[in-house]
Amino acid sequence: MMRRSSNLQRLLLMLVLAGCNLAVASPITYQGQLRDGGQPAEGSYDLQFCLFDADEEPVPLACTGQFNNVQVSAGLFTLELDFGPDRFLSEPRFIEIRVRRAGAGGFSILAPRQRLRPTPRAQHAGAADQVDWSGLSGVPELGTVTSVGAGAGLTGGPITTSGSLAIAPSGITGAMIAPGAVGATQIADGAIGAAQIDPAEVQQRISGSCAAGTYLRAINVDGTLDCDLLPVRLDRLIAGPDPAGEWISVAMRADGRPVMSYLRAFPVSLMLYDCADPACLSGTERVLEATGNQGVFSSIAVRPDGRPIIAHYDEANTALKVYDCANPACSSGTGRILDNTGSVGAFTSLALRSDGTAVISYRDQTNTALKLYVCANVNCSAGTARTLDPGGQVGSGTAIAVRSDDRPIVAFRDQGNVNLKLYDCFEPACTSGIIRTIDNTVGSGFDPAIAIRPNGLPVVAHIVLPNQLLKVVRCNDVGCASRTSLTLPGAGELSSPSLAIRADGRPLISVVDIAAQRLLLRDCNDADCNGGFYEVVDDRTEVADRSAIAMTAGDRPVLVYQDLFRSRPRLVICTTEC
């Protein structure tokens, strides 16, 4: 006969929930130790378990099925006991164990019954909604959470049902970070770039260098350098093997580098000089058109994409021609005849509209008329030639500018009436317009030049014969319907003015004193040129009778002309004065 409690020791180690709600079957894991004859049992045993609500209660609440052939090793065994739902809703609870060797006779009841202690009572939490809380005392006031807000540096709140909180953009401030908490090991490579820093607080890495002839003026917030021309006069002879420099024209690139077009004398060709730096200390000379007599009356501009375009007179074919550079360096390109109806193309002047398309004024020698070519695209591969003034003996001297609304305006000489005229286009394509005589002084209108002041009003410079005086016409409206003419004090026998405007609206006029063969610069005191003075730019060498002027972004004049003594182009960049 198997001994009862004196020979059987049991150990309840753990009870485990089988589900989330005790209203369904609630198996528990029972781990026990069985002794047989005073020694740890070995072999197969049959077991049965019953649940009571009292130690001496004769009627069980529930019993498990019979467990047959339970393997017991070193006295230990483990079983899953299921007494059905809702068996642990109240105390007390006792387990009665019945055992026998496998298939051998009746069961022995082990006494006393084993009381279940608080560990399994944790299962009661799943049925908390069935408890009458009003009958309990000492229950803490837990309150009710109805909303979760976003604290400092967070975003996403308030949350009233479900949601998530996150760190807000710029939510973490310096005050939230402990000194020394963030170092190189806490920052991933590449995690911090230009977009992640405050340029007002952190200087980006400095890169680049200043070109020859310039100096470092400042460092930009993005780390690039702000370079400017050296604050001295810069004088450069454009050296080369062939005589060149007549019919010279100049334009400025966006990066401050000058680019020039001019005529080579032998053989007669259209040339271009591309300065390598803003000071033009070096550069590249290119032959653009070498077939026939090309390059007379050259006029150059730089399009928004950096590619130069040059209008000129093809003397061999008596035609208006344009050279369309294929790249900013103009290492290749295409020469195009735009108009060859009769003898046309002399006294060429080119300007660009805001979209980079060119408009070109020129003379129709056959009909002694003023014409305008309107390019249909930036390459000027198509366009329209228009006669602006067919009135005989006009156009021996033209100059064109484009106003802020893209409407061209053309100053030209009427040699029949020996005066200065202006054509005011009514629209950018100049399909219509009006002709105005803006200076009817006899002998006026030679070598006109035109520019638009910052206030949108044109100003025209020209030469008046026979004394070869310099005059300006100050337009009082954008179409020059009202105007004032002013003769500037003489400084010799002047020729071929070229006009530029300072940032404050004051005109600058380069002229050649042909008697003394020197280059002068008229610096006006105000936007209407009321007063001013002449500066001698070059009197050391013989100067050809034409010059051209442009302005740097820093408001410094850039003058180009032919040095007759050396038969080569020369470039001078002035400071505030020359």
Side-chain angles (χ1 to χ4, degrees):
M1 172 66 66
M2 184 175 296
R3 297 181 184 179
R4 297 176 67 87
S5 60
S6 59
N7 292 326
L8 183 62
Q9 297 178 7
R10 301 171 303 276
L11 177 62
L12 178 62
L13 300 180
M14 181 170 58
L15 292 173
V16 180
L17 286 172
C20 296
N21 193 327
L22 290 179
V24 297
S26 303
I28 61 174
T29 300
Y30 184 89
Q31 293 180 332
Q33 185 180 55
L34 183 65
R35 288 180 176 273
D36 190 355
Q39 300 297 320
E42 289 283 346
S44 299
Y45 291 83
D46 299 333
L47 295 165
Q48 190 179 46
F49 298 82
C50 291
L51 185 67
F52 295 84
D53 60 4
D55 187 26
E56 299 297 334
E57 172 64 40
V59 180
L61 295 174
C63 291
T64 66
Q66 184 173 310
F67 296 93
N68 296 322
N69 296 311
V70 176
Q71 294 300 310
V72 180
S73 177
L76 302 177
F77 66 93
T78 301
L79 292 173
E80 294 289 329
L81 308 182
D82 189 352
F83 296 104
D86 304 330
R87 299 303 186 186
F88 296 95
L89 293 180
S90 63
E91 286 191 298
R93 292 292 183 264
F94 295 85
I95 289 181
E96 181 180 272
I97 304 172
R98 302 168 184 179
V99 62
R100 71 180 181 187
R101 290 190 179 90
F107 283 92
S108 296
I109 298 174
L110 303 183
R113 293 173 182 169
Q114 185 179 20
R115 182 172 182 173
L116 297 183
R117 295 297 178 180
T119 299
R121 286 297 305 275
Q123 299 181 65
H124 290 190
D129 60 333
Q130 302 176 23
V131 176
D132 182 5
W133 290 90
S134 62
L136 300 179
S137 61
V139 177
E141 291 291 336
L142 300 179
T144 302
V145 177
T146 60
S147 176
V148 177
L154 300 177
T155 184
I159 298 172
T160 57
T161 54
S162 64
S164 60
L165 299 178
I167 297 175
S170 304
I172 298 178
T173 64
M176 299 177 181
I177 303 173
V182 178
T185 57
Q186 283 77 40
I187 302 174
D189 290 342
I192 298 179
Q196 285 75 42
I197 67 173
D198 181 356
E201 300 290 339
V202 180
Q203 174 66 61
Q204 292 191 39
R205 183 183 296 274
I206 300 171
S207 61
S209 60
C210 290
T214 65
Y215 71 99
L216 176 61
R217 185 172 63 178
I219 299 172
N220 299 316
V221 294
D222 62 356
T224 58
L225 306 182
D226 182 4
C227 303
D228 200 0
L229 288 167
L230 292 171
V232 296
R233 172 182 160 132
L234 301 168
D235 191 332
R236 167 90 197 285
L237 179 72
I238 308 301
D242 304 312
E246 293 182 80
W247 304 108
I248 196 164
S249 179
V250 64
M252 301 300 295
R253 296 185 183 276
D255 61 5
R257 293 182 297 123
V259 58
M260 294 169 270
S261 63
Y262 48 88
L263 179 77
R264 181 176 66 180
F266 305 109
V268 178
S269 307
L270 174 65
M271 307 292 289
L272 179 137
Y273 191 85
D274 184 20
C275 294
D277 53 81
C280 205
L281 298 181
S282 62
T284 303
E285 185 177 54
R286 304 186 191 280
V287 179
L288 302 184
E289 297 271 26
T291 303
N293 294 337
Q294 303 193 61
V296 180
F297 298 107
S298 79
S299 181
I300 190 170
V302 177
R303 290 167 284 193
D305 61 4
R307 295 182 299 132
I309 185 169
I310 304 104
H312 63 104
Y313 176 48
D314 181 345
E315 203 169 40
N317 295 301
T318 61
L320 172 67
K321 201 166 186 181
V322 71
Y323 191 86
D324 170 28
C325 295
N327 52 61
C330 206
S331 58
S332 63
T334 303
R336 297 188 176 97
I337 291 178
L338 303 183
D339 186 359
N340 60 356
T341 304
S343 177
V344 295
F347 301 100
T348 306
S349 180
L350 177 147
L352 296 179
R353 291 173 289 187
S354 59
D355 62 358
T357 56
V359 285
I360 307 164
S361 60
Y362 58 103
R363 189 180 191 228
D364 179 344
Q365 295 90 263
T366 299
N367 298 298
T368 61
L370 172 67
K371 296 189 78 172
L372 178 74
Y373 193 88
V374 180
C375 296
N377 53 59
V378 293
N379 297 328
C380 207
S381 58
T384 303
R386 306 186 192 283
T387 298
L388 301 185
D389 186 353
Q393 297 300 314
V394 297
S396 58
T398 78
I400 191 169
V402 173
R403 290 165 284 192
S404 60
D405 59 3
D406 276 345
R407 292 186 299 127
I409 188 166
V410 183
F412 61 100
R413 181 186 176 219
D414 180 344
Q415 64 262 40
N417 294 301
V418 200
N419 58 26
L420 176 65
K421 287 186 173 181
L422 182 141
Y423 191 92
D424 174 19
C425 296
F426 289 163
E427 64 280 314
C430 204
T431 56
S432 61
I434 188 171
I435 299 171
R436 296 188 175 97
T437 299
I438 59 173
D439 192 333
N440 58 9
T441 303
V442 175
S444 62
F446 281 87
D447 301 323
I450 189 169
I452 309 297
R453 289 171 286 183
N455 60 8
L457 305 183
V459 60
V460 181
H462 63 110
I463 299 297
V464 180
L465 299 180
N467 296 322
Q468 295 195 253
L469 301 175
L470 177 62
K471 290 190 74 175
V472 294
V473 178
R474 306 168 304 195
C475 298
N476 299 325
D477 55 76
V478 294
C480 215
S482 171
R483 60 214 163 257
T484 305
S485 292
L486 176 68
T487 300
L488 303 182
E493 298 179 13
L494 305 181
S495 172
S496 303
S498 182
L499 182 60
I501 306 295
R502 291 189 185 274
D504 61 5
R506 292 184 294 130
L508 282 166
I509 309 166
S510 68
V511 289
V512 175
D513 180 351
I514 56 177
Q517 290 188 315
R518 59 180 183 165
L519 180 64
L520 305 176
L521 181 66
R522 174 72 183 193
D523 196 345
C524 295
N525 284 345
D526 57 37
D528 290 328
C529 218
N530 292 312
F533 56 93
Y534 286 97
E535 297 179 72
V536 177
V537 178
D538 192 344
D539 62 355
R540 299 165 299 167
T541 184
E542 296 179 359
V543 176
D545 62 355
R546 293 188 181 276
S547 66
I549 187 172
M551 301 297 293
T552 70
D555 217 31
R556 294 174 60 174
V558 178
L559 298 101
V560 294
Y561 55 98
Q562 186 187 32
D563 180 334
L564 281 178
F565 181 76
R566 296 169 179 82
S567 294
R568 291 296 302 174
R570 184 176 286 277
L571 176 143
V572 172
I573 302 177
C574 303
T575 57
T576 53
E577 298 180 356
C578 267

